[in-house]
Amino acid sequence: MNIQDLISVVETGIQKTGVNPEDARSGDDGQWLMLRNETPIYIDAWIDDQSSPWNYFIFEKDRSIFQVTLPFCYAPTLQREQFFEELLTVNLNLISAKFSFNAKDNVVVISYRCAGSQFQADSLNDIIDGLSYYCEMAYHVLKDEFHLKRVLVDGNGQ
């Protein structure tokens, strides 16, 4: 799928969530930011220009990528290893989602990713609902044991 077609499908999906796609655009083409309560929802669409052994099976058919990412929490400093082990266990139970760690920002995220040609505009709201549900559930289950702190933004995206 070419990037302009994917952007069009994503913007249709954003509109179906009740958000004006123009208001959600951020940064370069193919980047949007939405908020649910105070949780940022990052939506990205791009053409991957480098194959990886992890995605070789789809890369030859479709280099476009669609992704939704929600910051989950800052990684704890105490019991860090146990926390990451717990998230790996949780990952086994998730459908179409995964927890990942951004070491640069010390932020744990939950995300959904697929080839651009697999993304359907009608599914965006369900994807966001699913990621939000997993984010909330994991936070409430793990917050006390690991003293988690959320990654939140105010209404201005700060």
Side-chain angles (χ1 to χ4, degrees):
M1 173 175 275
N2 74 52
I3 190 64
Q4 291 309 319
D5 289 344
L6 180 54
I7 287 173
S8 178
V9 173
V10 172
E11 292 206 336
T12 298
I14 291 171
Q15 188 169 25
K16 288 179 181 229
T17 70
V19 174
N20 182 338
E22 290 179 20
D23 295 338
R25 289 181 191 144
S26 69
D28 298 326
D29 282 346
Q31 295 180 337
W32 301 267
L33 172 62
M34 297 170 49
L35 292 175
R36 177 163 291 176
N37 301 318
E38 296 175 325
T39 301
I41 301 166
Y42 298 96
I43 301 172
D44 298 289
W46 73 93
I47 302 296
D48 201 351
D49 58 358
Q50 294 183 348
S51 181
S52 151
W54 302 108
N55 64 12
Y56 76 93
F57 62 95
I58 193 86
F59 195 74
E60 295 304 316
K61 296 177 187 176
D62 185 3
R63 293 181 176 213
S64 64
I65 305 291
F66 169 78
Q67 178 173 279
V68 179
T69 304
L70 280 69
F72 169 55
C73 68
Y74 293 100
T77 53
L78 302 174
Q79 297 179 292
R80 193 174 179 93
E81 185 176 322
Q82 293 90 339
F83 172 73
F84 287 128
E85 286 178 15
E86 184 68 28
L87 284 184
L88 286 173
T89 301
V90 170
N91 270 348
L92 290 172
N93 296 298
L94 303 183
I95 297 173
S96 299
K98 64 183 175 190
F99 282 104
S100 304
F101 178 59
N102 176 330
K104 178 183 155 222
D105 297 325
N106 193 42
V107 172
V108 177
V109 301
I110 188 165
S111 62
Y112 169 91
R113 181 187 283 194
C114 68
S117 59
Q118 295 175 343
F119 173 67
Q120 303 289 316
D122 289 336
S123 67
L124 182 57
N125 203 50
D126 289 340
I127 292 167
I128 292 170
D129 283 349
L131 293 176
S132 297
Y133 172 80
Y134 288 142
C135 206
E136 284 299 311
M137 183 165 179
Y139 181 76
H140 288 291
V141 168
L142 302 174
K143 70 179 179 178
D144 294 332
E145 180 180 354
F146 296 105
H147 308 286
L148 301 181
K149 292 187 173 50
R150 288 186 182 260
V151 178
L152 303 173
V153 296
D154 63 25
N156 299 318
Q158 302 284 322

